[in-house]
Amino acid sequence: MAVKAGNSKKLLPVAEAHRAALTLGVREVTRRLNASLGGTLVSSLAGASDTKASHKWVKESGPQPRPEAVKRLNFAYEQWQRVAAAEGEHVARVWFIGASPWLDYDTPVNAIREDRLAEVSAAVQALVDDTFSG
């Protein structure tokens, strides 16, 4: 499976987004998500009750996120990479916070927080492939 990138229609393998999340480490993944989505949204999608948690996670001396938060953060980064490669960063940000017809009009941020990862992945694939038939 591949993802088209921007207007050039260059293809980015989905597996590449997965590898990037795993090789960067959770602190760097969180830093990049914070830069793209903002710390409050990143903390929320990770399932943290503290809205500043994601800012603490990026510090070398900061706490490590719990394993379930790490899973959500890595997953969110993978999906961010896929959407941004296909549609651009501005569209990716709007997609993460907007009501999605692929998720019964819930937001991807909420769906990730609720561990509906398979649904979010399918929604990203439908967006990338332009295959929504709602």
Side-chain angles (χ1 to χ4, degrees):
M1 191 71 57
V3 178
K4 62 184 178 182
N7 293 334
S8 67
K9 304 297 182 195
K10 179 180 172 188
L11 295 179
L12 171 71
V14 173
E16 188 175 312
H18 180 70
R19 271 192 306 277
L22 294 178
T23 58
L24 289 173
V26 71
R27 292 194 195 284
E28 180 62 17
V29 163
T30 304
R31 187 192 66 72
R32 290 180 183 200
L33 285 172
N34 283 349
S36 300
L37 295 172
T40 300
L41 286 177
V42 174
S43 296
S44 178
L45 69 79
S49 56
D50 177 4
T51 59
K52 305 283 186 202
S54 68
H55 294 292
K56 296 173 186 174
W57 295 333
V58 298
K59 296 178 182 175
E60 284 303 316
S61 62
Q64 275 291 118
R66 293 174 300 162
E68 57 272 14
V70 171
K71 177 182 78 170
R72 291 182 193 120
L73 290 164
N74 284 332
F75 177 81
Y77 184 69
E78 291 169 28
Q79 304 320 302
W80 171 268
Q81 290 289 96
R82 293 173 64 197
V83 175
E87 304 293 338
E89 289 189 5
H90 294 297
V91 171
R93 186 176 199 299
V94 170
W95 186 82
F96 265 79
I97 61 176
S100 173
W102 296 287
L103 299 169
D104 294 327
Y105 295 94
D106 197 359
T107 68
V109 167
N110 286 337
I112 293 169
R113 181 179 52 240
E114 295 169 357
D115 285 322
R116 295 167 33 211
L117 307 184
E119 288 178 59
V120 174
S121 184
V124 168
Q125 194 61 50
L127 174 70
V128 167
D129 292 343
D130 294 324
T131 59
F132 179 65
S133 60

